[in-house]
Amino acid sequence: MRGSVQRLGDDVAIPYEALLDFRSKHVFNPWAQRDPLDDIGSGRPDDIGPRARLARLQAHFAIAPALVLVGEASGYQGCHFSGLAFTNENLLLEQRIPRIGSVGRLTKRPRPWCEPSATVVWGALHALGLADRTVLWNAFAWHPFKPGQPYSNRPPTRAELEDGREVLDGVLDEFAAASLVAVGQVADRALRGLGRTPDATLRHPSMGGANEFRAGLGALAKRLTSERPSLRRRAARRRATSVG
């Protein structure tokens, strides 16, 4: 993996330079590459494409969250164009994403992308009052696609997940005080491979898992309320372990 960790101040652990520098075959980097569907003819060049996706990501990260949800990888209907995990173009247009202001169309597609898992995740976060206190990320930050099919999804390979460890580790270090939640088994394995035990592992909302995801997140929300001191101590131990 090319690039070194860029720290925007001594207390920021997010490796933005490594995030932007990543290149791999059959992988799209939302924060460094343009897509043919980017609506660059809109007259709003600063709002479209990789630079805008990076600005949205930095705005999303500009909190001290109570909760960090980690999924599997970016998808073509979501983060590929939005720059945010579990976030699609339609949700941005509806101004459903905290800390992200009003945006116009991101793509030249006749209809905005409306990725189902993103809709489920943000709908549940809003319903439970967690949206303003949550950061979303992926075990593999970028969008892996099938050869010759840029608008498709595929699971990241073991080698790709290994290449993405530096970025994942840096993001988790930045938000080490938050409760850590894996969304799906790929994310669970990736977190445990870094020596980080998630506070919960939820069913991924895709492939018929939406209701189970909502139920799991609802149960977690109750735990966050009743066990907050315990979770804070656990987060502190995890942070100390990662620093050591």
Side-chain angles (χ1 to χ4, degrees):
M1 181 168 165
R2 299 187 296 112
S4 59
V5 174
Q6 176 182 346
R7 296 183 181 273
L8 306 183
D10 293 339
D11 60 342
V12 177
I14 298 170
Y16 284 109
E17 186 176 333
L19 179 70
L20 270 62
D21 280 354
F22 183 87
R23 298 291 186 279
S24 186
K25 193 174 184 180
H26 310 312
V27 174
F28 179 78
N29 186 328
W31 308 278
Q33 294 178 272
R34 285 199 177 278
D35 185 279
L37 283 180
D38 286 340
D39 191 13
I40 57 176
S42 65
R44 300 176 295 107
D46 290 344
D47 296 337
I48 304 300
R51 183 164 57 179
R53 290 190 275 269
L54 179 61
R56 284 192 290 271
L57 179 64
Q58 291 172 322
H60 179 64
F61 281 167
I63 58 165
L67 193 65
V68 174
L69 264 59
V70 179
E72 180 176 327
S74 296
Y76 75 95
Q77 298 181 79
C79 188
H80 182 115
F81 290 102
S82 72
L84 304 175
F86 290 112
T87 302
N88 59 47
E89 181 180 11
N90 194 62
L91 287 167
L92 287 169
L93 288 168
E94 293 178 349
Q95 298 185 46
R96 296 277 288 164
I97 312 303
R99 301 177 300 285
I100 307 298
S102 176
V103 302
R105 286 297 309 272
L106 306 183
T107 71
K108 295 181 286 188
R109 190 172 182 264
R111 299 182 65 181
W113 291 113
C114 189
E115 198 274 327
S117 291
T119 303
V120 170
V121 168
W122 279 109
L125 289 171
H126 279 288
L128 294 166
L130 295 172
D132 290 327
R133 300 184 291 144
T134 299
V135 157
L136 303 175
W137 195 238
N138 284 307
F140 185 71
W142 308 272
H143 170 220
F145 56 86
K146 299 173 184 177
Q149 301 179 53
Y151 304 130
S152 67
N153 295 325
R154 64 169 175 82
T157 66
R158 184 176 299 179
E160 287 168 342
L161 286 166
E162 182 66 27
D163 284 345
R165 282 171 62 102
E166 178 188 5
V167 169
L168 177 59
D169 219 18
V171 171
L172 297 180
D173 280 347
E174 178 68 9
F175 302 119
S179 296
L180 181 61
V181 178
V183 181
Q185 292 303 313
V186 172
D188 181 85
R189 289 192 295 270
L191 294 175
R192 293 178 189 277
L194 291 173
R196 299 174 186 266
T197 302
D199 294 307
T201 297
L202 305 181
R203 168 73 187 271
H204 197 284
S206 65
M207 305 296 290
N211 287 337
E212 194 171 340
F213 169 83
R214 293 187 188 99
L217 189 63
L220 177 63
K222 292 180 181 178
R223 283 178 52 201
L224 284 173
T225 300
S226 63
E227 301 178 11
R228 191 172 302 278
S230 172
L231 290 175
R232 277 202 298 264
R233 288 194 296 270
R234 190 182 311 172
R237 287 197 299 270
R238 186 168 57 233
R239 183 170 61 252
T241 300
S242 66
V243 171

